[in-house]
Each structure stands twice: as structure tokens, then as C-alpha cells.
Amino acid sequence: MFDRGEALALLQLGDSAFPAGGFAFSWGIEGLAADCLLSDHDDLDHVIADHLAQRWATMDRILLRRAWRAGDIDAVASVDRLAEATTPSAEMRDGSRRAGRALLGVWGKLAGPLSVAYRARVLADARLGHLPVVQAITGRDAGLGLDAAELVSGWTLITGLVSAAVRLGLIGHIESQRSLARARALLSDLLADAPDDDAMPSSFTPFIDIAVSRGPLRHVRMFTT
């Protein structure tokens, strides 16, 4: 049955205007463009597909589901430490924590009970606060089901990547809608196949990781990642 309340929550949380600081992260789009590995909407679509299939579905989604099933704050923190340990790139680890902490800060101000409790733990440990773990916490505070929380997680990644490409002048607004439609179809396919409960997080996006890791060496940067 169609749940209007959850649908409206999805529209709110998936809106690029939601003040979680996502505009500061390109997740490799800026670096790939600077290295002449991304120049048009076809290149962008390939990068989005790699992000979704080789990182989000096999890592972020796994971590989100583990955090969702965690019985208490200690168990959530254990998943967060797993996120730290399984992200080999220092810049990707830092970006994930910064994005997660920004989202957690918003929900702390909105008085989400789980977010408030977990934010106290995160503030006491610099290794905690990874984005997919926080997305599980805030999704529960928003009253979403797990399926909806996964959808928001994947969709906000897609819109962040496309938005970064538009702001960098790589594509126009009409092309951005075509890329969003293609990515939406891929996300739907990925969500239809639920991972095993004991699946371990893993990713393989070497070109993206290298582009993000080269960020601190660049003289001019628009994005954090």
C-alpha cells in the first residue's frame, strides 16, 4: 500500500536543499575532470555506475544495513569502526566522516533521539561518524523503513555526483536529467537484489579513489572530495 507519509519524508530527505552539506562533496568528479578522465555526460554516467555498483551497493549499503540492525549505540559504533577499517583511502575516510557528521549535526538540531545519542559518541571518537552508518541512524529518526533508508542513501549519492558535474560545467541541466534517469534505473535494479545479512563491505573503484586522493595536491579545489 502506498504510504504517503513515507513518500513525503523521502521527498524531504532526498531533496538537494536538505541542509546536510552534500554540496561540498564531489566524490571524485572534480578530480576525474581535472585529470581529463571525465568530460561529458557519457563519462559521468560511467562514473555514477561505478560508484553505485562497485562502492555503494557493496560497501555503503552493507554498512547501512548492519547499522540499521544494530541493537544499541555500542553496536552501531562497531559498524562505524568497520567502515573506518574497510576504507583504504585516507581522503575517502575523511570525506565519509565529514559528510556523516554534517548529516548527524542536522538531525541533532532536529532533536532526533537516536541522532542525539549517537552524536555524543561520535564527538568523543574521531574515528566515528561515517556517512552510511549515520544514514541508518537518521533514517530511523525520520521514521523510514530500511528499504526507504537505502533508497535515500543511493539517491543522495546520485544527485550529489550529478550536481557536482553541473557546478563544474561538465554538463548542462537537461543532460543532468538524462543522467539522473539512467542512474535511477540502475539504483532500482540494485535495490531489487538484497545482500546477505553477513555480507562484508568491500569496494573497487581505483580511478575514483586515486582522483579523490590527489585532491590535497591540487592548487585550486571547489569540493572537499
CSV table of all heavy atoms in Angstrom, one decimal, residues 58-87:
chain,number,residue,atom,x,y,z
A,58,THR,N,28.1,-2.4,-2.6
A,58,THR,CA,28.9,-3.4,-2.0
A,58,THR,C,29.5,-3.0,-0.7
A,58,THR,O,30.1,-3.8,0.0
A,58,THR,CB,30.0,-3.9,-2.9
A,58,THR,OG1,30.8,-2.8,-3.3
A,58,THR,CG2,29.4,-4.5,-4.2
A,59,MET,N,29.4,-1.7,-0.4
A,59,MET,CA,30.0,-1.1,0.8
A,59,MET,C,29.1,-0.3,1.6
A,59,MET,O,28.7,-0.7,2.7
A,59,MET,CB,31.3,-0.3,0.5
A,59,MET,CG,32.1,0.1,1.7
A,59,MET,SD,33.7,0.6,1.4
A,59,MET,CE,34.4,0.8,3.0
A,60,ASP,N,28.7,0.9,1.1
A,60,ASP,CA,27.8,1.8,1.9
A,60,ASP,C,26.5,1.1,2.2
A,60,ASP,O,26.0,1.2,3.4
A,60,ASP,CB,27.5,3.0,1.1
A,60,ASP,CG,28.7,3.9,1.0
A,60,ASP,OD1,29.8,3.5,1.4
A,60,ASP,OD2,28.6,5.1,0.5
A,61,ARG,N,25.9,0.4,1.3
A,61,ARG,CA,24.6,-0.3,1.6
A,61,ARG,C,24.8,-1.4,2.7
A,61,ARG,O,24.0,-1.5,3.5
A,61,ARG,CB,24.1,-0.9,0.3
A,61,ARG,CG,22.7,-1.5,0.5
A,61,ARG,CD,22.2,-2.2,-0.8
A,61,ARG,NE,20.8,-2.6,-0.7
A,61,ARG,CZ,20.2,-3.4,-1.5
A,61,ARG,NH1,20.9,-3.9,-2.6
A,61,ARG,NH2,18.9,-3.8,-1.3
A,62,ILE,N,25.9,-2.1,2.6
A,62,ILE,CA,26.2,-3.2,3.6
A,62,ILE,C,26.3,-2.5,5.0
A,62,ILE,O,25.8,-3.0,5.9
A,62,ILE,CB,27.4,-3.9,3.2
A,62,ILE,CG1,27.3,-4.6,1.8
A,62,ILE,CG2,27.8,-5.0,4.3
A,62,ILE,CD1,26.2,-5.5,1.7
A,63,LEU,N,27.1,-1.4,5.0
A,63,LEU,CA,27.3,-0.8,6.3
A,63,LEU,C,26.0,-0.2,6.9
A,63,LEU,O,25.7,-0.3,8.1
A,63,LEU,CB,28.3,0.3,6.2
A,63,LEU,CG,29.8,-0.2,5.9
A,63,LEU,CD1,30.6,1.0,5.4
A,63,LEU,CD2,30.4,-0.8,7.2
A,64,LEU,N,25.2,0.4,6.0
A,64,LEU,CA,23.9,1.0,6.4
A,64,LEU,C,23.0,-0.1,7.0
A,64,LEU,O,22.4,0.0,8.0
A,64,LEU,CB,23.2,1.6,5.2
A,64,LEU,CG,22.0,2.4,5.5
A,64,LEU,CD1,21.8,3.5,4.4
A,64,LEU,CD2,20.7,1.6,5.5
A,65,ARG,N,23.0,-1.3,6.3
A,65,ARG,CA,22.1,-2.4,6.8
A,65,ARG,C,22.6,-2.9,8.1
A,65,ARG,O,21.8,-3.3,9.0
A,65,ARG,CB,22.0,-3.5,5.7
A,65,ARG,CG,21.3,-3.0,4.4
A,65,ARG,CD,21.4,-4.1,3.4
A,65,ARG,NE,20.7,-5.3,3.7
A,65,ARG,CZ,19.4,-5.5,3.4
A,65,ARG,NH1,18.7,-4.6,2.7
A,65,ARG,NH2,18.8,-6.7,3.7
A,66,ARG,N,23.9,-3.0,8.3
A,66,ARG,CA,24.5,-3.5,9.5
A,66,ARG,C,24.1,-2.5,10.7
A,66,ARG,O,23.7,-2.9,11.8
A,66,ARG,CB,26.0,-3.7,9.4
A,66,ARG,CG,26.4,-5.0,8.7
A,66,ARG,CD,27.9,-5.0,8.6
A,66,ARG,NE,28.4,-6.3,8.1
A,66,ARG,CZ,29.0,-7.2,8.8
A,66,ARG,NH1,29.2,-7.0,10.1
A,66,ARG,NH2,29.4,-8.4,8.3
A,67,ALA,N,24.3,-1.2,10.4
A,67,ALA,CA,24.0,-0.2,11.4
A,67,ALA,C,22.5,-0.2,11.7
A,67,ALA,O,22.1,0.0,12.9
A,67,ALA,CB,24.4,1.1,11.0
A,68,TRP,N,21.7,-0.4,10.7
A,68,TRP,CA,20.2,-0.5,10.9
A,68,TRP,C,19.8,-1.6,11.9
A,68,TRP,O,18.9,-1.4,12.7
A,68,TRP,CB,19.5,-0.7,9.6
A,68,TRP,CG,18.0,-0.5,9.6
A,68,TRP,CD1,17.1,-1.4,10.0
A,68,TRP,CD2,17.3,0.7,9.4
A,68,TRP,NE1,15.8,-0.9,9.9
A,68,TRP,CE2,15.9,0.4,9.6
A,68,TRP,CE3,17.7,2.0,8.9
A,68,TRP,CZ2,15.0,1.4,9.3
A,68,TRP,CZ3,16.7,2.9,8.7
A,68,TRP,CH2,15.4,2.6,8.9
A,69,ARG,N,20.5,-2.7,11.8
A,69,ARG,CA,20.2,-3.9,12.6
A,69,ARG,C,20.8,-3.8,14.0
A,69,ARG,O,20.5,-4.7,14.8
A,69,ARG,CB,20.6,-5.2,11.9
A,69,ARG,CG,19.9,-5.5,10.6
A,69,ARG,CD,20.1,-6.9,10.1
A,69,ARG,NE,21.6,-7.2,10.0
A,69,ARG,CZ,22.2,-7.1,8.9
A,69,ARG,NH1,21.6,-6.6,7.8
A,69,ARG,NH2,23.5,-7.3,8.8
A,70,ALA,N,21.7,-2.9,14.2
A,70,ALA,CA,22.4,-2.8,15.5
A,70,ALA,C,21.4,-2.6,16.6
A,70,ALA,O,20.5,-1.8,16.5
A,70,ALA,CB,23.5,-1.7,15.4
A,71,GLY,N,21.7,-3.3,17.7
A,71,GLY,CA,20.7,-3.2,18.8
A,71,GLY,C,20.9,-2.1,19.7
A,71,GLY,O,20.0,-1.7,20.5
A,72,ASP,N,22.1,-1.5,19.8
A,72,ASP,CA,22.3,-0.4,20.7
A,72,ASP,C,23.5,0.5,20.1
A,72,ASP,O,24.0,0.2,19.1
A,72,ASP,CB,22.6,-0.9,22.1
A,72,ASP,CG,23.8,-1.9,22.1
A,72,ASP,OD1,24.7,-1.7,21.3
A,72,ASP,OD2,23.8,-2.8,22.9
A,73,ILE,N,23.8,1.6,20.8
A,73,ILE,CA,24.8,2.5,20.4
A,73,ILE,C,26.1,1.9,20.2
A,73,ILE,O,26.9,2.2,19.3
A,73,ILE,CB,24.8,3.7,21.3
A,73,ILE,CG1,23.5,4.5,21.2
A,73,ILE,CG2,26.0,4.6,21.0
A,73,ILE,CD1,23.2,5.1,19.9
A,74,ASP,N,26.5,1.0,21.2
A,74,ASP,CA,27.8,0.3,21.1
A,74,ASP,C,27.9,-0.5,19.8
A,74,ASP,O,28.9,-0.6,19.2
A,74,ASP,CB,27.9,-0.6,22.3
A,74,ASP,CG,28.2,0.1,23.6
A,74,ASP,OD1,28.7,1.3,23.5
A,74,ASP,OD2,27.9,-0.4,24.7
A,75,ALA,N,26.8,-1.2,19.4
A,75,ALA,CA,26.8,-2.0,18.2
A,75,ALA,C,26.9,-1.1,17.0
A,75,ALA,O,27.6,-1.5,16.0
A,75,ALA,CB,25.5,-2.9,18.1
A,76,VAL,N,26.2,0.0,17.0
A,76,VAL,CA,26.4,1.0,15.9
A,76,VAL,C,27.8,1.5,15.8
A,76,VAL,O,28.4,1.5,14.7
A,76,VAL,CB,25.4,2.2,16.1
A,76,VAL,CG1,25.7,3.3,15.0
A,76,VAL,CG2,24.0,1.8,16.1
A,77,ALA,N,28.4,1.8,16.9
A,77,ALA,CA,29.8,2.2,16.9
A,77,ALA,C,30.8,1.1,16.3
A,77,ALA,O,31.7,1.4,15.6
A,77,ALA,CB,30.3,2.6,18.3
A,78,SER,N,30.4,-0.1,16.5
A,78,SER,CA,31.2,-1.2,16.0
A,78,SER,C,31.2,-1.2,14.5
A,78,SER,O,32.2,-1.5,13.8
A,78,SER,CB,30.8,-2.6,16.5
A,78,SER,OG,31.0,-2.7,17.9
A,79,VAL,N,30.0,-1.0,13.9
A,79,VAL,CA,29.8,-0.9,12.5
A,79,VAL,C,30.6,0.3,12.0
A,79,VAL,O,31.2,0.2,10.9
A,79,VAL,CB,28.3,-0.8,12.1
A,79,VAL,CG1,28.2,-0.7,10.6
A,79,VAL,CG2,27.5,-2.0,12.6
A,80,ASP,N,30.6,1.4,12.7
A,80,ASP,CA,31.3,2.6,12.3
A,80,ASP,C,32.8,2.3,12.2
A,80,ASP,O,33.5,2.8,11.3
A,80,ASP,CB,31.0,3.7,13.3
A,80,ASP,CG,30.8,5.1,12.6
A,80,ASP,OD1,31.2,5.2,11.5
A,80,ASP,OD2,30.3,6.0,13.3
A,81,ARG,N,33.3,1.6,13.2
A,81,ARG,CA,34.7,1.2,13.2
A,81,ARG,C,35.0,0.3,12.0
A,81,ARG,O,36.1,0.4,11.4
A,81,ARG,CB,35.1,0.6,14.5
A,81,ARG,CG,35.3,1.7,15.6
A,81,ARG,CD,35.9,1.1,16.9
A,81,ARG,NE,35.0,0.2,17.6
A,81,ARG,CZ,34.1,0.7,18.5
A,81,ARG,NH1,34.1,2.0,18.8
A,81,ARG,NH2,33.3,-0.2,19.1
A,82,LEU,N,34.1,-0.5,11.6
A,82,LEU,CA,34.3,-1.4,10.5
A,82,LEU,C,34.4,-0.5,9.2
A,82,LEU,O,35.2,-0.8,8.3
A,82,LEU,CB,33.1,-2.4,10.3
A,82,LEU,CG,33.1,-3.3,9.2
A,82,LEU,CD1,34.4,-4.2,9.2
A,82,LEU,CD2,31.8,-4.2,9.1
A,83,ALA,N,33.5,0.5,9.1
A,83,ALA,CA,33.6,1.4,8.0
A,83,ALA,C,35.0,2.1,7.9
A,83,ALA,O,35.6,2.2,6.8
A,83,ALA,CB,32.5,2.5,8.1
A,84,GLU,N,35.5,2.5,9.0
A,84,GLU,CA,36.9,3.1,9.1
A,84,GLU,C,37.9,2.1,8.6
A,84,GLU,O,38.8,2.4,7.8
A,84,GLU,CB,37.2,3.5,10.5
A,84,GLU,CG,38.5,4.1,10.8
A,84,GLU,CD,38.6,5.6,10.4
A,84,GLU,OE1,37.6,6.2,10.0
A,84,GLU,OE2,39.7,6.1,10.5
A,85,ALA,N,37.8,0.8,9.1
A,85,ALA,CA,38.8,-0.2,8.7
A,85,ALA,C,38.8,-0.6,7.3
A,85,ALA,O,39.8,-1.1,6.7
A,85,ALA,CB,38.7,-1.4,9.7
A,86,THR,N,37.6,-0.6,6.7
A,86,THR,CA,37.5,-1.1,5.3
A,86,THR,C,37.5,-0.1,4.2
A,86,THR,O,37.3,-0.4,3.1
A,86,THR,CB,36.2,-1.9,5.2
A,86,THR,OG1,35.1,-1.1,5.6
A,86,THR,CG2,36.2,-3.2,6.1
A,87,THR,N,37.8,1.2,4.6
A,87,THR,CA,38.0,2.3,3.6
A,87,THR,C,39.5,2.6,3.5
A,87,THR,O,40.0,3.3,4.4
A,87,THR,CB,37.2,3.5,4.0
A,87,THR,OG1,35.9,3.2,4.3
A,87,THR,CG2,37.3,4.6,2.9
